[in-house]
Amino acid sequence: MNAGKTHSRRGLLARLRKRSSSRWALRLLTWLLLTAFLADFLANDKPLYCRYEGKTYFPVLRAYAVELGWSEWPEDMQRGEWKSLEYQAVLWPPVPYAASELDPRNARFRGPFDEQEVPSLRFRHWLGTDQLGRDLLAGMIRGTRVAMLVGIISMGLASFLGILLGGIAGFFGDHGLQAGTLQTGLLLLGIPAGFFYAFIARSFQIEQALAEGGVWRELLISLLLLMGIPLFFGWLGSRLERLPYLTKVLKKRPLPADLLIMRLIELMNSIPALLLILAVVAILPRPSIFYLMLIIGLISWTGIARFVRAELLRIRELPYIASARIMGFSDLRILWKEALPNALGPVWIAIAFGFAGAILAEATISFLGIGLAPTEVSWGSLLQAARSNVSAWWMAVFPGMAIFLTVTSLNLLGEALREEGSKM
Amino acid sequence: MLRYLAKRLLLFIPMTWLVSLLAFALSEAAPGDPVEQICLGDNTGALTPAEYLRCARQHHFDKPAFYFALTPRAYPDTLYKILPLPRRQKVRKLVSQTGNWPAVQNWEDALKEQQAIYDSLAQDDKVLLDAISQSYRLEKIEALLKQLQQQTRARSSDSCLAKAQAALFPAFRQMQEEQNTEAMYLPSLHWRGFDNRYHHWLSALLKGDLGVSYHDRRPVTDKIQNGLFWTLLLNFISFTLAFAIAIPLGVRMAVKAGSRFDRRLSFFLFGLYSLPRFWIATLLVVFLTTSYYATWLDWFPGPGLGDLPASAPFWSRFVERAQHLILPVITLTYPMLAFIARQVRGSMLEALGSEYVLAARARGLSERRVIWRHAFRNALFPLITVLASLIPASIAGSVVVEQVFAIPGMGRLMFESILRTDWPVVFAVLLFGALLTMLGLLAADLLYALADPRVRFDKKQRR
């Protein structure tokens, strides 16, 4: 084992590409990410480009500007009946339907092979429609974006929490963090204080935001208060303890960071995740996919934390960490600059499996029919439609296939990373 | 060993307590008026104020939520006594905005005085007055009061309304002008004593009483017991099946590691493991329970448990139930099977590569004996932990499978209770699921220690 060797991402990707299975998985994921990124250009009810009454428009691009308030629609386009306008020239997106667009002429489950009432092949619903005539392919493209967002946001949050907590637990252990009585006391005082200012004093603002929107700003402020106040109290304690008289009186005691964090992980793991997500989602006043991402991220950091902790337990005993200590680097610098970069290799395993798990969890919840706002579409919610109508086989087959392929390729990547890791 | 057991059990108690705290906190945060839900059930209509008060007192809603409370100094100490609950919420929100409890109290008193003239008012005045007494945003109240002013002017003869307006306006002005929002940011800690809702909930819980369902007022324990039977039956069958198929498969794959059989089966099992349960469940329902696509595909009955009356002969009822359970069992089993088989293969490979297996072979023991007696016995230990780690997944699986196949188990109970906002049932199932998971983990650790004499927990393992 050579800990000095850094697991750079480049090297990791190169090693993964040697396997044909991970090559396929990477390729598929790249396509999915591209689809997610370009979803508006792939499926939209607006043309990509058109000439209308002598003027040139790029409606898909313009929609962004309108959303940002930089521009407005001309009168004819304001009504959103894009397909009834008479263009001099027009270029439609590959799928000329938006995910939420109703096509009443093809409502009530038209299959891919059924006869469809469309002006030309260009407007055919290639994967069929649902009860209200919404295009399945357009829904799946929108669903790709949702699935990728779920994975990225929830895993981003989970990695942050997991690396932070796992890093503290593994690097400091039960004896590495020394704190004086005053500092510990102030820190313990800071936790309820942080909670008070984050959630109790601001309860009205948060409730209001939950009911009326704009909850992200409020939650962010609350989170900053929740973490900032205890940290400030701890910092204050450490400053105070340097006062000449107090240094003599107060003793330093180890803070059992590892024990506390491991207990927290055990607690998180002992609550069945799906039940917890269901219970939390159910009490939110206005459902939205973003709450789902947040909850999944808050629940699934434990796997990453365990990996980081195990790696750091090994790394902190290595000679190069000891030499860094001798050179007089601070603990935080050693953890951040020397130890953590070498511990992140295995995190990618946990992230790959966690990504798959997050997509599955979101799909399960939306398959059950809760957690999404009525206007939101995900692979799971598309699949749900098949339950109410068995004759619509396309609603059952295609969205499920998308989930299956995504989850499989992520699992394949995780497995490959694990095997690569154990080889070293 | 005993010390370890004691330590684990001692840890088990605070963990369960923390989970109970979480379930209680969630149930407190749940929307809706629980008093109405409990005492009204599914009856439409409204409770009279007297009935409401009686019901709220009976279910401890006039008591504090917890042993202590950390509140802003602006809140009155008696906030938890205000009934009905929507009014308590409204008062809390008004105090949150103004930070001035006496002014809010004044406003509430002014509103209460209007009850005397309420009956003599015209219909749209009543509506307006109701709107004023229910809204909690200062801006909205102001707008409504302006409307009141206009209506008063329109009906110059109606002195009742003018009186109401004269009483309400100064009270509102006081609230609006004498704001003291700093008091919201001063914490104050109150000790509430043992006569609180959590204490009552917890002591009932410890006696095995989980409360009553909001939906049909049946005890939650009864509902859970009914559901538990089907969930346990389904999971017992699928666990047994999964292990019975996966162990021989895994062992055989490990023995023939690297062969075509092994590679193909590994690939297949990997795919099987990644197949989402809810997708397979949907596909099975869509294609195998109807004759829509082909008459010969209608192999299984549709969702549900069958509709033979209880008077039908036992045997035919048994057969019907069994037919209805085939698809759910398949859906629950296959991911477990794939997972276990891969685990067995892994731990068997490790065992087969060890020196004691080499020694057994060198002694000339038969291959069968080497595999099952020597290698497999040692490969079994990791499987004990696998068993425990499958519990959360099988709970999640049960929710989906029971929902798709309409089986009245715990998962479906939980889900339907969520849709009906029947919180006592939801949080009881959550608590129960967590308890089951923790018990599984505990049992696995203990079994592991019992089975493998090399594992010693007494020694300090930490560095």
Side-chain angles (χ1 to χ4, degrees), chain B residues 6-246:
Chain B
K7 199 177 136 200
R8 280 305 302 257
L9 282 175
L10 271 180
L11 262 176
F12 188 74
I13 295 164
M15 296 282 252
T16 326
W17 177 71
L18 279 176
V19 173
S20 86
L21 214 57
L22 178 79
F24 182 75
L26 282 173
S27 70
E28 284 290 297
D33 183 350
V35 178
E36 294 247 336
Q37 276 180 306
I38 295 171
C39 296
L40 215 53
D42 267 358
N43 308 343
T44 44
L47 294 169
T48 64
E51 276 174 341
Y52 187 97
L53 281 183
R54 195 162 44 80
C55 175
R57 296 231 168 83
Q58 191 190 342
H59 292 92
H60 307 298
F61 282 103
D62 56 342
K63 298 201 174 121
F66 201 60
Y67 299 103
F68 59 86
L70 184 64
T71 63
R73 184 148 296 165
Y75 286 2
D77 197 27
T78 49
L79 185 66
Y80 62 84
K81 286 183 185 152
I82 298 176
L83 282 171
L85 294 174
R87 198 174 139 239
R88 185 189 302 175
Q89 295 295 335
K90 192 196 82 172
V91 169
R92 190 175 57 78
K93 285 174 180 171
L94 277 175
V95 178
S96 297
Q97 287 169 88
T98 60
N100 187 348
W101 162 238
V104 174
Q105 209 169 12
N106 252 346
W107 169 249
E108 285 295 301
D109 286 344
L111 280 176
K112 211 177 209 170
E113 279 168 26
Q114 309 317 314
Q115 290 304 317
I117 57 156
Y118 187 78
D119 289 331
S120 61
L121 291 176
Q123 187 55 38
D124 51 340
D125 293 341
K126 278 184 188 171
V127 172
L128 184 62
L129 211 57
D130 283 343
I132 291 175
S133 63
Q134 276 160 17
S135 48
Y136 56 86
R137 288 294 296 260
L138 288 181
E139 301 87 26
K140 198 175 173 206
I141 298 176
E142 191 168 21
L144 288 168
L145 280 178
K146 283 215 176 96
Q147 204 183 329
L148 182 70
Q149 209 169 11
Q150 281 164 7
Q151 284 195 18
T152 321
R153 263 187 226 134
R155 295 194 187 82
S156 49
S157 61
D158 195 344
S159 64
C160 272
L161 206 58
K163 239 185 261 166
Q165 190 210 331
L168 288 176
F169 250 91
F172 177 72
R173 282 279 167 260
Q174 191 196 356
M175 251 194 335
Q176 204 178 28
E177 277 155 20
E178 294 171 23
Q179 291 200 3
N180 180 22
T181 32
E182 303 85 60
M184 280 303 292
Y185 295 97
L186 291 174
S188 79
L189 190 68
H190 307 272
W191 171 252
R192 303 285 204 209
F194 286 98
D195 190 15
N196 61 53
R197 266 209 307 285
Y198 178 71
H199 192 78
H200 288 291
W201 182 75
L202 191 68
S203 24
L205 187 73
L206 290 177
K207 283 180 211 143
D209 173 16
L210 286 163
V212 289
S213 154
Y214 289 171
H215 173 62
D216 50 13
R217 275 181 270 180
R218 273 173 56 203
V220 175
T221 22
D222 274 13
K223 291 188 112 173
I224 287 190
Q225 266 171 12
N226 284 350
L228 201 59
F229 170 73
W230 289 109
T231 305
L232 282 185
L233 180 71
L234 271 180
N235 278 296
F236 177 74
I237 300 175
S238 6
F239 266 84
T240 321
L241 265 179
F243 272 94
I245 301 172

Side-chain angles (χ1 to χ4, degrees), chain A residues 106-128:
Chain A
N106 293 302
R108 257 169 271 136
F109 299 106
R110 290 289 169 87
F113 306 120
D114 296 350
E115 205 170 292
Q116 297 180 357
E117 267 186 61
V118 284
S120 70
L121 267 189
R122 188 70 186 77
F123 289 90
R124 205 178 153 75
H125 299 279
W126 292 105
L127 292 188

